[in-house]
Amino acid sequence: MTWSELSELLAVGLQETAWMVFVSTVLTAVGGLLLGILLVLTAPGGMLAAPAVSSVLGFIVNVTRSLPFIILLVAVIPFTRAVVGTTIGTDAAIVPLTIGAIPFFARIVEAALREVPPDVVAAATAMGATRRQIVGKVLLREARPGLVAGLTITVIALVGYSAMAGVVGGGGLGDLAIRYGYQRFDTQVMIATVIALIVFVQLVQTAGDILVRRLSHR
Amino acid sequence: MYVIEIAGLRKTYRAKGRRDRAVVAVDGVDLSVAEGDVFGVLGQSGAGKSTLLRCVNMLERPDEGTVKVGGVDLTALDRRGLREARHGIGMIHQHFALLSSRTVAGNVAFALEVTGVPRNERRERVAELLELVGLGGRADAYPSQLSGGQKQRVGIARALAARPKVLLSDEATSALDPETTDSILRLLLDLNQRLNLTILLITHEMNVVKRICRSAAVMRDGRFVESGAITDLLDRPDSELARGLFPLDAPTSLDGHTVVDVTVSGDGADAPLLAEVARRFDIDVRIMAGSVEQLAATRAGRFRLAVPAGDDAPLNYLSERGARIGRPTAPSPIEIQGAAS
Ligand SMILES: Nc1ncnc2c1ncn2[C@@H]1O[C@H](COP(=O)(O)OP(=O)(O)OP(=O)(O)O)[C@@H](O)[C@H]1O
Ligand SMILES: [Mg+2]
């Protein structure tokens, strides 16, 4: 394989990975944040304590998280068809990636929100803050560094999951590494894709770290 | 006029589904705080002080009893009414409870946002409040860049944002060193006088009561064992508060002598009573322990005296001159804390 062929392969793979990870990250950020907030609010002793809702949500999250991603990928195929209209390709891969990542990120959001000292929430309550103000201006705002750090972890997990997107024809760098390196013993392509993945992950982590440092005033 | 009126307050914590593990944190407390008063609730760890205070702004819902602030019964309000009422009740916290993600100005602005002060008025009001607590220059600092005393000043500025009539203080100086504690207490006293702010504080430090309180209660196992104006409490024989304010570290008996604890307050505190007694009855009065101090409420002193046994006349004379005579008592738990602080 020539250099230009290789770089062509890598460029396409990188583009596919970036797209899958980007879209599913945006969807996961929104979905995971909402689910995480709901987990905190409905928990016993929470602001909207609802034990039944809380245990159902917790159960769904745990079930989703215990499935191996490859099985989730196949299991949601009918849903994917309903949402995207097709079951193969990069866009089709985004659906299982998002479904797999939302519960993961939701737990991180839950943990980050619980890190906000109860004292601070009590102080806001004592000032006469509304529940909306407490969620928006106290919990989410105070937890911001933790949320960004958690999102960074999620993005990187998504990069890992996306390697399996090849199963539904999603492509991407991981798929490249598996097809060329694992199935065809093409070491050159494998090493190149792995290096590209490492650089990608490093960039994401570094960007996340910088943002966290900027947001953190503890 | 009473700004805070609490009657029959009870609060029990139950371990979930286990009646046997119930903790009665507040067990029938009546409390009235007059406008402009500084009222201190003193008690050991676990006495129920924080629970009591948190019931005053409904951070905890009492099981029984009523809590009136400014004449409004908070236990009867709906969520919205309670939020309104809370604007009139400031609170400061032992560990400051500031928003770490906001600057000093931002923390004070938060209180204004919550109260619904329009954006264009906030900036000026923030500056005014920071000036009031002596933090004019630190508006753009983050809480993590401040000392404990400065953080508590932010907490105080924030608590005053909505111009409350009442300030609740949960161990506001317990995390501070003695000098910083002093400066915060001075600030609170200053605000009490300038704004006619009524302060209800809880503490386990006798020093706080000494420095700023005009009324006090001693709390144990969820109940008040004594409460009232400090001048009145000092008048009671064997007042726990008196014993706490003036710990007497001396034996309670002496061969051939009658040992008594004598409390003096107001004008009597500085009168040369002991010399008078010694001269008048021509006896040796032995001072075994004691001191005279300036309290926020009054000037007062307490002594453990030994006078020759057999003649009650000198003690009766002291009584006539306004001193309270009590039996010498072993140190109370509070007294030990008083000695330590
Ligand atoms: N949320 C809670 N759940 C269960 N028990 C509680 C809770 N809060 C307080 N208690 C119990 O109620 C009692 C009184 O507690 P409280 O915090 O009011 O005491 P305190 O006088 O403020 O003590 P400290 O000086 O240590 O702050 C204690 O026995 C405590 O264990
Ligand atoms: Mg307490």
Side-chain angles (χ1 to χ4, degrees), chain A residues 44 47 119-131 133-134 137-138 141-142 144 215-218, chain B residues 54 57 59 79 83 86-87 89 91 93 95-102 110-111 113-115 142 144 158:
Chain A
M47 273 189 281
D119 226 20
V120 175
V121 177
T125 310
M127 279 182 243
T130 61
R131 290 186 288 211
Q133 285 170 326
I134 290 174
K137 296 185 179 217
V138 179
R141 179 75 197 266
E142 285 292 289
R144 231 163 38 172
L215 291 174
S216 181
H217 294 288
R218 281 198 191 223
Chain B
R54 291 166 64 88
N57 58 5
L59 284 180
R79 194 190 305 280
R83 275 205 312 272
R86 280 171 171 161
H87 294 329
I89 309 172
M91 188 175 198
H93 309 260
H95 299 293
F96 323 119
L98 301 178
L99 297 166
S100 66
S101 59
R102 288 195 182 214
F110 174 76
E113 289 163 31
V114 162
T115 329
Y142 282 91
S144 60
R158 178 177 74 172

Side-chain angles (χ1 to χ4, degrees), chain B residues 11-15 21-26 42-54 60 94 170-171 202-204 219 222:
Chain B
K11 174 76 189 179
T12 305
Y13 292 110
R14 286 185 181 77
R21 290 281 299 277
V23 177
V24 184
V26 178
L42 195 71
Q44 286 183 291
S45 188
K49 307 181 296 293
S50 294
T51 307
L52 170 66
L53 198 75
R54 291 166 64 88
E60 299 287 353
Q94 178 172 8
D170 187 346
E171 303 270 11
I202 62 169
T203 184
H204 62 267
M219 193 169 186

Side-chain angles (χ1 to χ4, degrees), chain A residues 39 53-63 107:
Chain A
L39 283 170
V53 179
S54 166
S55 6
V56 170
L57 287 180
F59 183 70
I60 294 174
V61 164
N62 291 345
V63 168
R107 285 296 189 204

Side-chain angles (χ1 to χ4, degrees), chain A residues 1-136:
Chain A
M1 189 176 293
T2 66
W3 268 110
S4 75
E5 278 172 334
L6 179 60
S7 55
E8 173 76 5
L9 265 182
L10 283 180
V12 172
L14 188 61
Q15 210 179 337
E16 286 166 344
T17 294
W19 176 246
M20 282 189 288
V21 170
F22 174 74
V23 177
S24 49
T25 296
V26 171
L27 297 174
T28 298
V30 176
L33 218 47
L34 288 176
L35 184 54
I37 293 170
L38 222 52
L39 283 170
V40 171
L41 292 185
T42 58
M47 273 189 281
L48 299 172
V53 179
S54 166
S55 6
V56 170
L57 287 180
F59 183 70
I60 294 174
V61 164
N62 291 345
V63 168
T64 319
R65 291 205 54 204
S66 36
L67 292 183
F69 183 67
I70 195 90
I71 291 177
L72 185 76
L73 193 67
V74 177
V76 299
I77 281 179
F79 180 70
T80 307
R81 191 195 317 277
V83 177
V84 222
T86 171
T87 61
I88 54 166
T90 313
D91 288 349
I94 288 171
V95 174
L97 282 177
T98 305
I99 292 176
I102 283 179
F104 178 79
F105 185 50
R107 285 296 189 204
I108 296 179
V109 171
E110 186 189 13
L113 297 185
R114 285 195 200 290
E115 282 288 301
V116 177
D119 226 20
V120 175
V121 177
T125 310
M127 279 182 243
T130 61
R131 290 186 288 211
R132 186 188 295 255
Q133 285 170 326
I134 290 174
V135 171

